Amino acid sequence: MDLDQKLPQTERGRQTRAALLAAAREVFARDGYLTATTTTIAKAAGVANGSFYTHFADKYEIFVALFQEVQEEMLHPGIHDARLDHSDPVAVIEEATRAYLEYYRDNAALLRVFEQVTGIDERFLELRLLRARAFEERNVRGIRRLQRDGVADPALDPELTAAALSSMVSRHAYLTFALGLRPDVDFESLVSTLTTLWVNALRVRPAGDQRTVLDQAAARLRAALADVERLRDAT
């Protein structure tokens, strides 16, 4: 399904589509997928029912469009770069964890519906798997960067590690916020605990740690030697 081909060309059309998506977000979160109807969504958006079908073929298509919108928001959360010390990997991991958990907490009802539809629709399951890989690939790149910088365990398989740690955080968020397993959990304790598990799993050391400084110097030296080898082979 290529939804990009159906994006409206006029400002009015874009506004109507945005209103439908905003209404769908509210209706699906409140009513669930099976109970929600296109008529209910159109009414919540303040548009005629016929306008819905100008933009979306059916309920499933707007559900997928909403899912893609939410996944983009989760993949690129509002991390506050201004207050981050990017030389401290622990701080970066903590801020990314906090942003993910905040989003999940604030959108738990809708994210629970995504989980439900995954179990009943093979098309949506395939889409979920594609998006899950996108999340993992981002984390794989982050782990590899930490390994190159000499601050994470170089023996770890980045792909397997990213899959395990990503699943840990996402499943914990689902159980805590979508299912309400721990309704009284302290949010900051949750952020701190999951951050610590990430950091310990990667064997990341805080910025300024003497061993970290030595490992970073060794990593730069290995990279320089590799460059020398490539230049020698090219001549």
Side-chain angles (χ1 to χ4, degrees):
M1 181 185 301
D2 188 358
L3 295 176
D4 289 340
Q5 293 181 359
K6 302 189 66 176
L7 293 178
Q9 300 301 309
T10 66
E11 181 60 27
R12 182 177 179 181
R14 288 190 288 272
Q15 290 176 353
T16 300
R17 187 177 189 276
L20 285 166
L21 282 169
R25 187 183 291 246
E26 174 187 331
V27 170
F28 284 128
R30 184 190 67 217
D31 300 342
Y33 180 76
L34 296 178
T35 304
T37 66
T38 59
T39 301
T40 306
I41 294 170
K43 183 178 179 180
V47 303
N49 200 44
S51 295
F52 177 95
Y53 294 101
T54 300
H55 298 276
F56 302 101
D58 51 28
K59 179 173 71 172
Y60 179 73
E61 188 168 288
I62 195 172
F63 186 73
V64 169
L66 178 59
F67 170 74
Q68 292 174 335
E69 183 176 89
V70 168
Q71 291 300 293
E72 283 303 306
E73 292 169 359
M74 295 184 77
L75 190 59
H76 306 289
I79 295 177
H80 305 291
D81 284 339
R83 72 183 188 213
L84 275 181
D85 177 3
H86 287 274
S87 66
D88 184 353
V90 176
V92 174
I93 291 171
E94 180 180 25
E95 185 67 8
T97 301
R98 175 176 283 102
Y100 180 87
L101 292 175
E102 284 177 344
Y103 191 94
Y104 212 112
R105 177 195 62 193
D106 296 342
N107 297 274
L110 180 60
L111 295 171
R112 182 173 63 244
V113 176
F114 290 154
E115 293 288 342
Q116 293 168 347
V117 177
T118 300
I120 62 176
D121 193 301
E122 290 293 326
R123 297 170 300 172
F124 194 67
L125 171 60
E126 183 177 349
L127 184 60
R128 285 293 303 277
L129 291 174
L130 286 173
R131 300 302 292 177
R133 292 189 187 101
F135 275 89
E136 285 186 10
E137 287 169 3
R138 181 190 63 178
N139 289 333
V140 167
R141 292 193 296 271
I143 291 170
R144 284 178 174 155
R145 182 170 59 251
L146 291 174
Q147 289 175 322
R148 287 195 303 269
D149 291 345
V151 295
D153 186 352
L156 290 171
D157 182 310
E159 294 186 0
L160 293 178
T161 303
L165 294 176
S166 299
S167 298
M168 174 191 70
V169 175
S170 62
R171 189 63 180 175
H172 204 98
Y174 173 66
L175 291 172
T176 300
F177 300 121
L179 298 188
L181 181 62
R182 299 176 183 84
D184 299 324
V185 68
D186 180 76
F187 184 79
E188 287 303 317
S189 294
L190 181 59
V191 172
S192 177
T193 298
L194 293 177
T195 298
T196 299
L197 291 172
W198 255 89
V199 169
N200 289 348
L202 297 176
R203 298 182 183 174
V204 172
R205 291 177 293 275
D209 181 270
Q210 189 59 36
R211 178 64 183 274
T212 299
V213 173
L214 292 174
D215 286 348
Q216 289 174 331
R220 289 193 293 269
L221 179 58
R222 286 194 296 270
L225 290 173
D227 288 339
V228 170
E229 290 293 325
R230 282 194 293 271
L231 287 172
R232 187 180 65 181
D233 292 341
T235 57

